[in-house]
């Protein structure tokens, strides 16, 4: 493991510890470096600001975690992702409360979108409007996950994913049933 | 060609990271580049990728390393779509996903598979390989894990156009075109940059007092292509190609890399000088461009992936060249034999009892 990685990991652990106790806006660079006995200089050598650090934590931890889940596909993958967020809920709930440019929520969207998108891309792959449909569902689920986290996770990941699944597949099922009924009447 | 879902997801996740990496480099080149390499190091599992990232991180510990200037030049001058698509196709599809696929295939079928295929298409021949034949070869190559191709081309502009269009359709692979500078026009450069998965090395064998290289480089720069140069070394020109004068000229032309093709170095002192030059340039990095020893570096990657070098080149008439005997593999031709058959006959894996 490189020295540079060890330094970044130490800064990350300090940030995560602070985020368990304080809102992210209140955390200063001096708090982070003090907690892991480093200098401001070494912080800025690696990161632009605290948002940059939080993005790095998300990318390295989440992506590492998700790599082991990729054999699962579709809803199971989405459920596994939600379980991961649930296990690390204090960090994500806190990070997602900060909005605006360069904030974590923007980066969260950038990483989450392609993962969810690729699940739906396969469903619509024979349609000429694949991109539109896959983006529509990817956006809906990503926003739902963000809201679930921002509302401080009031339901379990299993229940949450069951409801999303119901909203997507249940709607399709209902529409087909309605169409069949109309056909029968005709 | 559609990749299995798992790899598609990883590809997309890496795209998100590279997008951010490019933004970070624009914002603060030194920190951005360190971050991107650290991320690569973090996710590289083993093999030469891991050692590449480790060495690169060590080189960048020196804040005055010319590689910072190289990264800055690339981010400022090259279309970000090219950096992203070419970079991920090479770094992930070739050296991670492709390498895994190659190893699996080798294990089952008992022959080695090269990570890249070289096409020598300069020779005019009546029944040269057609673009669709080349595309079929690339499809087969992708199916066994080879996601890279290198093309040495002549001045046939029509064929060049068709090849560029065809290569652009192989969107999960990456390609390097070795071109004469005089063939580079705005139209060609535009086609290349629009493909996102193609980069160019232009011939510098006549670079001294040659306006053509300057024009070619300017056109590639204006069209936001990722480009470099190549030279063919022999005993009489080696001193010039390893001189500051040559390398400074390439820097002035904003080349990002240079291929050194060691075709006919016979004198031992020259062979040693060449190998010392290549090794020093990589680890010390005195110039803001990547120097690549064409045969040795390509074979090095083969040896890491396949445990043995398995360089293979296809000539315009379909005949095959390997590094094992230096001549065409007798009786084999890509027009009459499949790529898999050719590999089976020319690259058998050693059997241990």
């Amino acid at each position: 493991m490189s020295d540079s990685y060890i330094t970044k990991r130490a800064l990350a652990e300090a940030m995560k510890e602070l985020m368990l106790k304080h809102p992210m806006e209140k955390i200063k660079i001096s708090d982070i470096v003090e907690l892991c006995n480093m200098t401001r200089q070494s912080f800025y050598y690696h990161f632009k600001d605290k948002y940059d650090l939080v993005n790095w934590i998300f990318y390295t931890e989440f992506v590492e975690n998700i790599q082991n889940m990729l054999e699962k596909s579709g809803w199971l993958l989405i459920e596994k992702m939600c379980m991961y967020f649930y296990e690390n809920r204090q960090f994500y709930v806190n990070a997602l409360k900060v909005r605006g440019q360069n904030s974590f929520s923007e980066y969260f969207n950038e990483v989450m979108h392609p993962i969810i998108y690729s699940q739906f891309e396969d469903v619509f792959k024979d349609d000429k409007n694949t991109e539109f449909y896959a983006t529509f569902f990817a956006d809906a689920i990503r926003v739902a996950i963000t809201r679930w986290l921002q509302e401080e996770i009031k339901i379990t990941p299993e229940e949450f994913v069951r409801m999303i699944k119901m909203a997507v597949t249940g709607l399709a099922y209902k529409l087909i049933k309605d169409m069949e009924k109309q056909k029968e009447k005709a | 060609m559609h990749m299995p879902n798992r790899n598609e997801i990883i590809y997309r996740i890496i795209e998100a990271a590279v997008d951010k990496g490019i933004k970070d480099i624009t914002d603060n080149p030194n920190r951005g580049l360190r971050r991107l390499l650290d991320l690569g190091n973090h996710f590289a599992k083993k093999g030469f990728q891991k050692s590449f990232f480790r060495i690169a991180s060590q080189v960048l510990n020196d804040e005055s390393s010319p590689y910072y200037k190289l990264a800055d030049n690339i981010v400022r001058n090259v279309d970000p779509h090219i950096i992203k698509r070419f970079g991920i196709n090479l770094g992930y599809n070739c050296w991670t996903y492709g390498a895994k696929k190659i190893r699996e295939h080798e294990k089952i079928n008992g022959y080695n598979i090269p990570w890249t295929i070289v096409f020598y298409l300069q020779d005019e021949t009546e029944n040269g390989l057609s673009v669709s034949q080349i595309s079929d070869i690339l499809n087969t190559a992708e199916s066994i894990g080879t996601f890279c191709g290198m093309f040495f081309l002549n001045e046939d502009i029509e064929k060049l156009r068709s090849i560029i269009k065809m290569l652009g359709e192989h969107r999960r692979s990456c390609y390097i075109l070795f071109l004469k500078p005089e063939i580079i026009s705005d139209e060609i450069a535009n086609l290349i940059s629009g493909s996102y998965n193609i980069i160019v090395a232009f011939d510098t064998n006549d670079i001294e007092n040659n306006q053509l290289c300057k024009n070619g480089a300017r056109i590639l720069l204006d069209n936001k292509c990722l480009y470099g140069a190549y030279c063919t070394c022999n005993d009489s020109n080696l001193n010039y190609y390893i001189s500051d004068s040559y390398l400074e000229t390439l820097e002035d032309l904003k080349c990002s890399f240079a291929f050194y093709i060691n075709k006919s170095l016979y004198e031992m002192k020259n062979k040693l000088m060449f190998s010392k030059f290549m090794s020093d340039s990589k680890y010390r990095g005195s110039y803001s461009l990547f120097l690549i020893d064409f045969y040795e570096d390509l074979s090095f990657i083969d040896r890491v992936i396949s445990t043995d070098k398995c360089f293979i080149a296809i000539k315009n008439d379909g005949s095959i060249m390997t590094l094992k005997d230096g001549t065409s593999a007798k009786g084999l031709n890509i027009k009459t034999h499949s790529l898999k058959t050719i590999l089976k006959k020319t690259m058998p894996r050693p059997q241990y009892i």
Side-chain angles (χ1 to χ4, degrees), chain A residues 2 4-5 8 44-48 52 55-56 59-60 63-64 66-68 70-71 77 106-107 110-111 114-115 117-119 121-122, chain B residues 2 5-6 8-10 12-20 23-24 27-28 31 34-35 38-39 41-43 45 57 60-61 63 68:
Chain A
S2 68
S4 149
Y5 184 75
K8 287 200 293 242
Y44 288 114
Y45 183 81
H46 295 290
F47 300 105
K48 185 179 162 190
D52 197 23
N55 290 347
W56 186 84
Y59 193 86
T60 50
V63 172
E64 191 153 84
I66 201 176
Q67 283 197 74
N68 305 323
L70 291 175
E71 298 304 342
L77 176 67
E106 198 180 303
Y107 188 55
E110 282 169 26
V111 175
I115 300 171
Y117 178 93
S118 56
Q119 302 305 313
E121 195 181 23
D122 257 10
Chain B
H2 190 75
N5 206 269
R6 180 180 201 277
E8 194 64 39
I9 299 171
I10 296 177
R12 300 277 173 84
I13 295 171
I14 298 171
E15 270 189 328
V18 174
D19 270 335
K20 184 165 188 316
K23 270 187 231 161
D24 288 347
D27 184 43
N28 180 326
R31 187 175 55 211
R34 281 196 303 268
R35 283 281 296 280
D38 271 358
L39 206 61
N41 190 19
H42 182 64
F43 289 110
K45 294 291 172 212
S57 299
L60 294 182
N61 281 339
E63 282 277 329
Y68 283 118

Side-chain angles (χ1 to χ4, degrees), chain B residues 267-309:
Chain B
E267 288 179 27
M268 187 49 78
K269 73 169 173 57
N270 285 340
K271 285 183 183 174
L272 291 172
M273 192 157 55
F274 178 75
S275 108
K276 186 174 182 314
F277 167 76
M278 291 310 303
S279 141
D280 285 355
S281 65
K282 273 180 202 133
Y283 297 104
R284 284 192 212 136
S286 317
Y287 301 95
S288 57
L289 60 155
F290 263 123
L291 303 188
I292 305 147
D293 179 344
F294 186 79
Y295 291 113
E296 186 47 43
D297 288 341
L298 261 56
S299 298
F300 171 75
I301 300 170
D302 273 331
R303 284 195 295 269
V304 174
I305 296 173
S306 306
T307 70
D308 197 7
K309 66 181 175 190

